[in-house]
Amino acid sequence: MYKVAVIKGDGIGPEVIDAAIRVVKSVTDKIKFYEFEGGLSVFKKYGVPIREEDLEEIRKMDAILFGATTTPFDVPRYKSLIITLRKELDLYANLRIIPNFKLRKEIIIVRENSEGLYSGEGAYDSNKVVDFRIITRKGAERIAKFAVKLAKDRSTFLTFVHKANILESDRFFRKIVLDIARKEDVKVREEIVDSFTIKLVKDPWNLGIILSENMFGDILSDLATIHAGSIGIVPSGNYGEDIALFEPIHGSAPDIAGKGIANPIGAILSAAMMLDYLGLDGSIIWKAVGRYVRRGNLTPDMEGRATTLEVTNGIISEIYRLDEYEIDEVWRDEVRLGRILLEIS
């Protein structure tokens, strides 16, 4: 029996995570879920986004399923819950899969998850604020190895997106990536981030595995969601040496919280990635979601009228209709992806 920590978070987080758990329970009985509080509501009570005693318990889990969290601009001393978890658990690799189920294609982005401008380090006074863009040899080497192994195992190339023509930190990062890729005989295509945004919009389907530093990867993966139909269906995994956290990449969407119209697919696919990481099989969920999306009964963010509950029930119904061995060829790599990432981590 696997132990999975659940942090539902704020806004629509509880709604989409409840949906994901229902779907997981429809395909396996090998997971026990343990719920923990985290986010702005916890900060208001305890002064931290997550309590230390809860963090200690979470470290004992096999994986984490995370919903969404509100990070306000105007609350003094508040630190983002997800960034706190990434730092505390050393979740250095962020894998984001942007699927287009109608075209049966996907974009895969590997993002360094612990450094860069999101490191939380800087210098501040009343006249000037400086955020440090930190890239260390350790951080660059391990994310490069993660991405290169993923590219090698999927028999594809690496697209390394950077700003090494301007930034010294990216020149440092670039050398490490190219050295590791060369040793593993993985081809690297280099792209400058500015011009790459145009390519990502116009011709996104022949990019191999995209690798970038923290902030660039965050922005590029959000931009790429235009090819998915909605940011609400995009899943992600945050991988460390000892544990991994899975979350939809959308925010807490407080404007629609409680209305029953949040898109649960990103959370459901994140749970599928979690199953693969645990050595279970998330492919049936990918297949069922693909079938459901192509049928078109979707939530308002995808120009439909369905509710969260209707989408969840529809996906579970598709799971029950599937033959155990019926897997689209385009998604067969997804069946193996979790096992590959388990070996990496």
Side-chain angles (χ1 to χ4, degrees):
M1 185 70 71
Y2 296 98
K3 297 189 296 182
V4 171
V6 174
I7 304 174
K8 296 179 180 180
D10 308 307
I12 63 172
E15 300 167 59
V16 298
I17 290 301
D18 285 345
I21 290 172
R22 281 191 61 211
V23 172
V24 168
K25 288 181 176 179
S26 75
V27 299
T28 182
D29 60 357
K30 295 180 179 179
I31 293 177
K32 186 171 182 180
F33 295 97
Y34 298 83
E35 188 170 345
F36 296 88
E37 287 186 309
L40 185 58
S41 60
V42 172
F43 179 83
K44 289 177 178 178
K45 287 190 286 186
Y46 302 105
V48 289
I50 188 165
R51 293 178 295 176
E52 182 59 38
E53 54 265 40
D54 287 342
L55 267 176
E56 288 305 311
E57 288 300 312
I58 288 169
R59 288 188 176 97
K60 301 173 186 176
M61 300 286 157
D62 297 303
I64 305 160
L65 189 59
F66 182 88
T69 184
T70 299
T71 304
F73 299 105
D74 55 354
V75 177
R77 302 186 312 280
Y78 183 75
K79 292 184 178 181
S80 163
L81 172 59
I82 189 62
I83 291 178
T84 298
L85 290 168
R86 288 170 183 165
K87 289 182 73 69
E88 290 290 334
L89 302 174
D90 198 21
L91 304 175
Y92 68 90
N94 185 209
L95 174 67
R96 294 184 168 187
I97 302 174
I98 296 91
N100 185 307
F101 288 104
K102 294 183 178 180
L103 295 179
R104 299 171 186 256
K105 294 181 178 182
E106 64 189 6
I107 303 165
I108 298 178
I109 297 178
V110 174
R111 164 194 174 199
E112 201 291 319
N113 212 26
S114 62
E115 298 185 339
L117 284 170
Y118 293 0
S119 65
E121 297 185 36
Y124 321 101
D125 63 37
S126 60
N127 297 310
K128 183 170 68 174
V129 174
V130 179
D131 291 306
F132 295 155
R133 190 179 194 265
I134 297 173
I135 295 180
T136 66
R137 179 170 298 279
K138 176 184 176 181
E141 284 180 348
R142 62 183 183 175
I143 196 63
K145 289 176 181 177
F146 183 99
V148 165
K149 180 165 175 43
L150 186 56
K152 191 171 185 178
D153 287 334
R154 293 170 71 94
S155 301
T156 189
F157 59 94
L158 200 65
T159 296
F160 179 46
V161 185
H162 57 74
K163 193 68 174 173
N165 58 327
I166 300 294
L167 298 174
E168 190 64 40
S169 54
D170 267 4
R171 294 188 190 107
F172 176 75
F173 192 11
R174 175 181 180 270
K175 184 179 185 305
I176 291 170
V177 170
L178 295 181
D179 285 348
I180 289 172
R182 184 167 49 250
K183 290 175 185 176
E184 294 296 328
D185 198 28
V186 169
K187 181 180 177 181
V188 179
R189 296 182 185 176
E190 295 187 67
E191 297 281 353
I192 301 300
V193 65
D194 315 47
S195 58
F196 181 72
T197 57
I198 299 171
K199 184 173 292 187
L200 186 60
V201 170
K202 288 187 173 182
D203 185 24
W205 307 121
N206 185 33
L207 298 173
I209 304 297
I210 300 168
L211 169 64
S212 196
E213 64 85 49
N214 203 335
M215 189 175 74
F216 289 168
D218 190 13
I219 294 169
L220 291 172
S221 55
D222 282 4
L223 175 62
T225 65
I226 62 172
H227 301 295
S230 170
I231 197 172
I233 77 167
V234 179
S236 74
N238 300 265
Y239 298 87
E241 300 293 339
D242 302 311
I243 197 168
L245 179 152
F246 300 88
E247 57 166 335
I249 75 168
H250 61 69
S252 60
D255 55 319
I256 62 168
K259 295 182 179 180
I261 58 172
N263 192 335
I265 293 177
I268 290 168
L269 292 179
S270 297
M273 292 176 70
M274 180 187 73
L275 292 184
D276 286 336
Y277 170 78
L278 293 173
L280 303 172
D281 190 351
S283 65
I284 191 172
I285 296 177
W286 281 95
K287 172 71 175 179
V289 169
R291 278 194 169 192
Y292 183 82
V293 170
R294 287 188 288 272
R295 291 181 190 276
N297 188 22
L298 304 171
T299 44
D301 59 306
M302 299 187 75
E303 300 183 353
R305 296 183 177 181
T307 65
T308 308
L309 180 61
E310 287 170 338
V311 171
T312 306
N313 289 343
I315 291 169
I316 292 172
S317 295
E318 292 291 348
I319 288 170
Y320 292 152
R321 291 191 189 105
L322 287 174
D323 182 273
E324 180 180 359
Y325 301 102
E326 189 179 7
I327 302 173
D328 284 340
E329 184 175 355
V330 73
W331 295 117
R332 282 179 185 155
D333 281 344
E334 297 307 331
V335 180
R336 298 191 296 269
L337 183 58
R339 295 177 179 82
I340 291 169
L341 293 172
L342 183 58
E343 292 172 7
I344 293 171
S345 63

